Amino acid sequence: MPNPLSYLTDQLENWRQAGTYQRLRVLESACLPVANFDGREVIHLASNNYLGLADHPKLVEAECEAARKYGAGSGAVRTISGTMSLHMELERRIAAFKNVEACVVFQSGFAANAGTVAAILTPEDHIISDELNHASIIDGCRLSKAKIHVFRHRDAAHAEEKLAALADTPGRKLLITDGVFSMDGDIGALPQLTELAERYGAIMMVDDAHASGVLGRNGRGTVDHFNLHGRVHIQVGTLSKAVGVLGGYVCGSRDLIEFLYHRARPFLFSTSHPPAVAAACIAAFEILEKEPERIEKLWSNTRFFQKGLHENGLSTGASETPITPIMVGEAAMAHAFSRALFEEGVYATGIGYPTVPQGKARIRTIVTAAHTEDVLSRAIEIIARVAKRMGIVAHMAAN
Ligand SMILES: *Cc1c(COP(=O)(O)O)cnc(C)c1O
């Protein structure tokens, strides 16, 4: 009998031929600014550990203490018996931080987005969504079976066209955007979209995965950054990026959160965080509130790094945040660039189709507050040298 999974083997072979097959790089140290991957010490520009909290002693200590006191696991889903006092404390803490009525924590940002969109909409409803929104939003939209209307990236006028066309159509309307876009590092059109949501009676939702801990006072996100307090109905954030641990959360009205307690499927059907995770997140929020200088350092490092790349003729695309793509063009070239950089001591991931559109492949870098300018200077020098050798600077000039 032929192997019924042989088509997978064929697909893998195609990717190898195309140069887009990716082996997993294995991290053998903590997630440090200079880290060990695959037996090599490299400048680590591939994490989302914006504030360097992933190995912060206070978080690690909080984890150990919680594990000793409450054990390794919670034992159940939240709605059965897996709601621990630490989960409730974390939710109260985040709600206070974000200045909203209530908060629910999910196992991941992915679960928060997909679980929320799928829970609050039905097939009779409509979603108006930025074309570059994150996969977890797209999956939530699909799971909800609501009708999906995609507007051009950050194009509020196009979003308005969609809303206007739906004005007489029954069903709820959800307007949704990433706060910061994960592949380009540009900021969503939240102020304009919020105004549209108000004008057309739509629900406004923002996914602040890359804005949490990065934008707004003490990292409160895009709603704070744009001073839109009380006007965005649903704010999603992640605990897996700047917060340095794992998880996602939804902030909004008390009734929204109570509804999600009853209907969000990842909340109902998947076990809650180990107590250590909740404790580490609580410690991280304490640091966000007490040490805003970490965020300042993140931004000054970002300016330093991007300026250095520009001075070497490299394009960082549309980036307005610490997410710094270095535009390359073709996917195979991006992966080759990434591999060559790794050999020279810099780890930055190559990203191509289907994660980004054809012809817009790039390596994606993120500096953190933990990098020093010395280390970043070294990274700039290596990136510029390898890019030149591979003709990448010339490629951008030709465009
Ligand atoms: C990373 C990311 C998520 C998912 O967050 P996790 O906590 O890693 O599951 C959701 N939305 C966006 C925009 C992201 O970049």
Side-chain angles (χ1 to χ4, degrees), residues 108-110 113 134 136 178 182 207 209-210 238 240-241 247:
S108 69
F110 198 108
N113 268 329
H134 191 257
S136 54
D178 279 11
S182 53
D207 172 8
H210 282 285
T238 180
S240 327
K241 289 174 177 152

Side-chain angles (χ1 to χ4, degrees), residues 48 107-113 133-137 178-183 207-210 236-241 246-248 323 364:
N48 299 309
Q107 299 86 350
S108 69
F110 198 108
N113 268 329
N133 276 345
H134 191 257
S136 54
I137 294 178
D178 279 11
V180 171
F181 288 85
S182 53
M183 292 301 142
D207 172 8
D208 257 351
H210 282 285
V236 169
T238 180
L239 305 167
S240 327
K241 289 174 177 152
L246 170 71
I323 298 175
R364 175 172 174 269

Side-chain angles (χ1 to χ4, degrees), residues 6-327:
S6 63
Y7 67 102
L8 303 183
T9 311
D10 296 344
Q11 184 57 261
L12 286 168
E13 190 47 40
N14 290 342
W15 290 333
R16 280 193 194 93
Q17 296 289 332
T20 57
Y21 175 88
Q22 274 187 295
R23 216 169 37 76
L24 298 176
R25 293 228 181 265
V26 178
L27 177 60
E28 292 148 348
S29 66
C31 178
L32 298 165
V34 180
N36 282 47
F37 281 92
D38 296 340
R40 192 182 277 268
E41 191 179 82
V42 289
I43 300 172
H44 188 4
L45 298 178
S47 85
N48 299 309
N49 182 23
Y50 288 105
L51 301 176
L53 295 183
D55 72 318
H56 194 290
K58 282 188 181 155
L59 274 69
V60 175
E61 192 43 51
E63 288 194 333
C64 294
E65 201 184 308
R68 272 187 232 107
K69 192 163 173 192
Y70 297 106
S74 72
V77 303
R78 289 285 302 273
T79 48
I80 306 288
S81 63
T83 294
M84 304 180 84
S85 48
L86 281 169
H87 297 132
M88 297 311 291
E89 186 185 336
L90 176 60
E91 290 179 347
R92 278 195 300 274
R93 178 107 205 187
I94 298 172
F97 179 73
K98 298 278 284 184
N99 196 23
V100 293
E101 277 181 26
C103 168
V104 51
V105 168
F106 286 84
Q107 299 86 350
S108 69
F110 198 108
N113 268 329
T116 300
V117 175
I120 63 170
L121 296 181
T122 71
E124 282 70 55
D125 300 328
H126 299 270
I127 299 166
I128 299 94
S129 176
D130 187 290
E131 66 179 328
L132 294 189
N133 276 345
H134 191 257
S136 54
I137 294 178
I138 296 169
D139 283 14
C141 294
R142 289 178 183 160
L143 284 167
S144 77
K145 298 199 177 71
K147 287 159 208 79
I148 302 165
H149 310 265
V150 174
F151 60 90
R152 286 187 296 272
H153 182 48
R154 295 170 77 192
D155 187 341
H158 195 213
E160 176 159 24
E161 268 176 46
K162 303 276 176 194
L163 283 163
L166 289 167
D168 297 325
T169 312
R172 293 173 194 87
K173 320 292 169 355
L174 172 73
L175 189 49
I176 185 163
T177 183
D178 279 11
V180 171
F181 288 85
S182 53
M183 292 301 142
D184 292 278
D186 50 347
I187 300 175
L190 195 60
Q192 298 89 323
L193 295 175
T194 301
E195 217 174 292
L196 287 177
E198 286 167 350
R199 187 137 26 101
Y200 288 89
I203 304 159
M204 187 68 227
M205 175 166 171
V206 66
D207 172 8
D208 257 351
H210 282 285
S212 321
V214 174
L215 282 176
R217 285 168 307 138
N218 302 76
R220 285 177 169 81
T222 47
V223 168
D224 190 79
H225 174 74
F226 287 118
N227 196 18
L228 297 167
H229 294 281
R231 296 173 62 190
V232 174
H233 304 100
I234 307 176
Q235 296 181 59
V236 169
T238 180
L239 305 167
S240 327
K241 289 174 177 152
V243 173
V245 194
L246 170 71
Y249 58 86
V250 178
C251 281
S253 68
R254 165 61 53 197
D255 287 351
L256 167 71
I257 302 314
E258 294 265 347
F259 183 90
L260 293 174
Y261 278 179
H262 286 82
R263 281 291 179 275
R265 292 169 71 82
F267 189 86
L268 292 160
F269 296 108
S270 185
T271 297
S272 56
H273 278 149
V277 169
C281 291
I282 293 167
F285 278 94
E286 236 151 74
I287 294 170
L288 282 183
E289 285 175 9
K290 286 198 188 131
E291 298 177 26
E293 57 274 17
R294 277 181 180 271
I295 299 176
E296 282 158 32
K297 180 69 177 155
L298 168 67
W299 283 91
S300 73
N301 275 349
T302 298
R303 285 187 293 272
F304 179 84
F305 184 63
Q306 294 185 349
K307 183 162 167 276
L309 294 174
H310 296 156
E311 283 168 359
N312 282 283
L314 292 162
S315 165
T316 58
S319 175
E320 307 173 80
T321 66
I323 298 175
T324 305
I326 301 174
M327 306 308 285

